[in-house]
Amino acid sequence: MNAQPNMKDHKIHISIDGKPYEAQDGQSLLDFAKSNGIFLPSLCHYEHIFPPLGTCRVCTVKANGKPSAGCMTALKEGMSIEINTPELSDLRKAMVEMLFAEGNHFCPSCEKSGDCDLQGLGYQLGVRVSRFPHLFVDRIIDFQPKRMLIEHNRCILCRRCMEEVKTQDD
């Protein structure tokens, strides 16, 4: 199983949306945000998988003015991070809308309705309709796997399922 390395023991000073914080040097921004009640959504993050997957990009932030995945951003002394700006909120919402449009997601008729990370995040971000047209691509369903059924019509390409299977074998 992958494990996150030990953090350096000394504290650093960062700012998030203009507010000062004290954090562990090298700590993941996403982990720091979660532990400090700062909303930073993610679909591909599992705490026990290190290094982080960084595949969904729903946790995109601006670190020192540059776009970055929050789960893959290691905190350093003096960092200035933007999380809750209108631009970043719209970007995250657009990414989730694209996942719905591309993945043939029909939430009202889905057996996971009410127990789905993508659907829950859509509600949290206020997604009511998509600005992107649904593709309705008919992708294959992999019925031959050793450990899981892969439903490519519902896949959001986060790789969590694949990493979970790999970590169970470690």
Side-chain angles (χ1 to χ4, degrees), residues 142-150:
D142 185 351
F143 289 107
Q144 302 298 321
K146 288 182 181 178
R147 306 260 322 250
M148 76 176 86
L149 168 79
I150 300 175

Side-chain angles (χ1 to χ4, degrees), residues 35-155:
S35 67
N36 284 277
I38 301 168
F39 178 66
L40 182 55
S42 175
L43 288 170
C44 68
H45 185 259
Y46 271 148
E47 291 178 11
H48 64 280
I49 295 176
F50 190 86
L53 299 172
T55 54
C56 74
R57 295 297 200 228
V58 174
C59 64
T60 297
V61 298
K62 281 192 179 175
N64 294 332
K66 296 181 182 174
S68 175
C71 65
M72 300 183 80
T73 300
L75 297 176
K76 304 282 182 230
E77 178 64 44
M79 285 182 87
S80 175
I81 300 156
E82 295 174 67
I83 293 177
N84 293 308
T85 67
E87 174 191 12
L88 289 168
S89 295
D90 186 60
L91 174 71
R92 289 186 201 109
K93 188 174 179 180
M95 287 183 190
V96 170
E97 289 173 28
M98 283 188 266
L99 289 170
F100 277 111
E102 186 174 287
N104 296 339
H105 297 277
F106 305 106
C107 295
S109 63
C110 180
E111 69 273 3
K112 288 193 66 130
S113 187
D115 187 29
C116 170
D117 291 344
L118 178 61
Q119 183 185 50
L121 187 54
Y123 286 132
Q124 286 180 302
L125 296 176
V127 174
R128 302 284 185 259
V129 295
S130 178
R131 63 190 104 170
F132 307 102
H134 281 266
L135 299 179
F136 300 111
V137 177
D138 189 21
R139 296 180 180 98
I140 64 165
I141 297 175
D142 185 351
F143 289 107
Q144 302 298 321
K146 288 182 181 178
R147 306 260 322 250
M148 76 176 86
L149 168 79
I150 300 175
E151 166 59 278
H152 292 283
N153 284 311
R154 303 292 185 259
C155 180

